[in-house]
Amino acid sequence: MQTLNIIGAGSVGQTLARLWHAHAVFKIGAVCNRSVGSAQAAVDFICAGTAYDANSFSQLPPADVWLLACPDDQLQACCADLSKVGAFNQDSIVFHCSGALTAHEVLQSAKDCGAQIASAHPIKSFANPDSAVQGFTGTFCGTEGDAAALAVLESAFAAIGGRCFSIKPESKTLYHAASVMACNYLVALQEASIQTFAQAGVAREQAMAILQPIVSDTVHNIFSMGTQAALTGPIVRGDAVVVEKQVTALNAWRTDYAHTYQQLGRVALTLAEQRGISDQAAHTLAKILGRKS
């Protein structure tokens, strides 16, 4: 069984390590965090490994595979520091789980040591490691990097229920932006909606209760019917009067939310045109929503 060292065992590192340990994919070696205490807490969660702090790079045991799971802005420096103390060689596989950075952007120093490098980004919320462990099966993971590293990692992810797919390194920023819009900004959009409800006199708790069923139904419809068929509301009905009143009301309260409404409205208008609203309605809505053509 190949050994795995983890540098930066936060929610992602802990989740993956626990699953790989439980499925006998990797033997967990070093678990290295800023402090021994936080590393030991990660070891306790993983149920395997030995805790080290961030000052112990030169003391880490050798490993076949290295997961660098520290924050994105620390990945390059972390990899360089490990390279300097001889952690990597021609038999090493080094990877990270960032959705925003490619393997060669931040792991080049390991590559210079002869290691095979890659990135594997699980598209999943890891806010709660316990929940992430329970719900990991079926998680899609975007991968890129050296073929030898990917062969090992794709097998390892498949063993815990991951569904790997290839991404183009040169387009990784757009790939990650798509995930951010779908997940993080969905949360932000609900917060904007809740605040708008509050401005209309609806308490936050009531707004949450109102939104839960309609948002859940909408998400279900998107993935069962497609975005075009799932679209409802005044834009797809061609109701320019309602849309104009809403833009005006939002502008009177918060211009930034009015701009958000218009920007998303322009995307909705494109879907509505695909659904077949009249040219006249589309033209009127385009003016209200600030679409140039």
Side-chain angles (χ1 to χ4, degrees), residues 52-141:
Y52 292 84
D53 65 26
N55 297 315
S56 304
F57 279 7
S58 62
Q59 303 168 31
L60 298 178
D64 302 303
V65 181
W66 293 75
L67 166 56
L68 308 191
C70 49
D72 285 11
D73 61 357
Q74 299 172 24
L75 279 170
Q76 188 169 25
C78 176
C79 188
D81 288 344
L82 287 164
S83 298
K84 289 175 184 176
V85 298
F88 312 131
N89 57 45
Q90 68 273 13
D91 297 319
S92 303
I93 292 172
V94 184
F95 76 105
H96 67 69
C97 291
S98 169
L101 301 170
T102 67
H104 286 268
E105 279 183 276
V106 291
L107 304 181
Q108 186 60 45
S109 58
K111 182 74 172 175
D112 293 341
C113 295
Q116 298 295 300
I117 61 174
S119 73
H121 173 239
I123 306 178
K124 183 176 182 60
S125 172
F126 288 89
N128 183 309
D130 281 307
S131 297
V133 167
Q134 295 301 317
F136 189 84
T137 297
T139 295
F140 284 92
C141 306

Side-chain angles (χ1 to χ4, degrees), residues 162-180:
R163 302 173 68 179
C164 292
F165 65 97
S166 297
I167 56 178
K168 298 177 181 178
E170 64 271 19
S171 299
K172 193 165 187 181
T173 299
L174 287 175
Y175 153 83
H176 192 241
S179 301
V180 168

Side-chain angles (χ1 to χ4, degrees), residues 6 9 13-15 17-18 21-22 28 31 41-49:
I6 305 159
Q14 289 181 40
T15 298
R18 179 161 165 172
H21 170 67
I28 309 302
V31 177
V43 166
D44 293 343
F45 179 83
I46 296 165
C47 302

